[in-house]
Amino acid sequence: MRLFYGFGIRGFYVVMWLASWFHAKAKKWIVGRQIPIESFQVPQNKKVVWFHCASLGEFDQGLPVMNAYKEAFPDSFLMVTFFSPSGMEFYNKRDHQVDLALYLPLDTKIKAKICGSLQSANGILRKV
């Protein structure tokens, strides 16, 4: 099953890459994921709260929660990831207190390992 999933994810990327030649939103999807996730700095001395919003609509629905959380815990670091370019494109037009917004990397084994190591190093994931 993992093999099929891996081929499917890579196939989806190839389709998006081909579509990016003709479709502006697909191009934004490709370009947004070219920035290495390792290049983003997440402070180690703050509590990091990570929200994932697949699109702008989910961001809009979660925004009151994010703002309320930041008001209650002003020293926290809010990180938001998006799957869709619409979220990244329009989140700056919203009144928010997000500290870092970026594209969620493609769901491959190597990207998962990179994200996992960054999360552990920055205290995002903790053993309970």
Side-chain angles (χ1 to χ4, degrees), residues 6-120:
F7 280 127
I9 289 293
R10 285 170 181 79
F12 179 71
Y13 183 84
V14 169
V15 168
M16 290 298 286
W17 180 76
L18 291 171
S20 72
W21 296 350
F22 310 103
H23 195 274
K25 193 170 181 179
K27 185 172 183 100
K28 290 176 186 175
W29 191 92
I30 292 291
V31 170
R33 284 170 174 76
Q34 290 176 342
I35 302 169
I37 195 161
E38 304 95 323
S39 66
F40 294 100
Q41 296 296 320
V42 178
Q44 293 185 12
N45 61 340
K46 290 188 173 187
K47 181 176 183 179
V48 177
V49 180
W50 183 356
F51 291 89
H52 174 69
C53 305
S55 66
L56 181 63
E58 288 184 7
F59 179 70
D60 283 342
Q61 290 178 352
L63 202 52
V65 174
M66 293 176 216
N67 287 336
Y69 188 89
K70 191 69 170 186
E71 286 176 19
F73 304 99
D75 292 336
S76 63
F77 185 87
L78 292 185
M79 183 171 85
V80 176
T81 53
F82 291 101
F83 184 79
S84 168
S86 64
M88 286 295 288
E89 189 174 341
F90 292 105
Y91 96 98
N92 279 327
K93 296 179 181 179
R94 306 297 195 260
D95 183 27
H96 63 78
Q97 298 183 36
V98 173
D99 296 303
L100 175 65
L102 58 137
Y103 281 101
L104 186 68
L106 203 60
D107 190 18
T108 61
K109 190 173 184 178
I110 189 73
K111 294 289 184 184
K113 284 183 180 181
I114 291 169
C115 286
S117 66
L118 287 173
Q119 293 165 358
S120 296

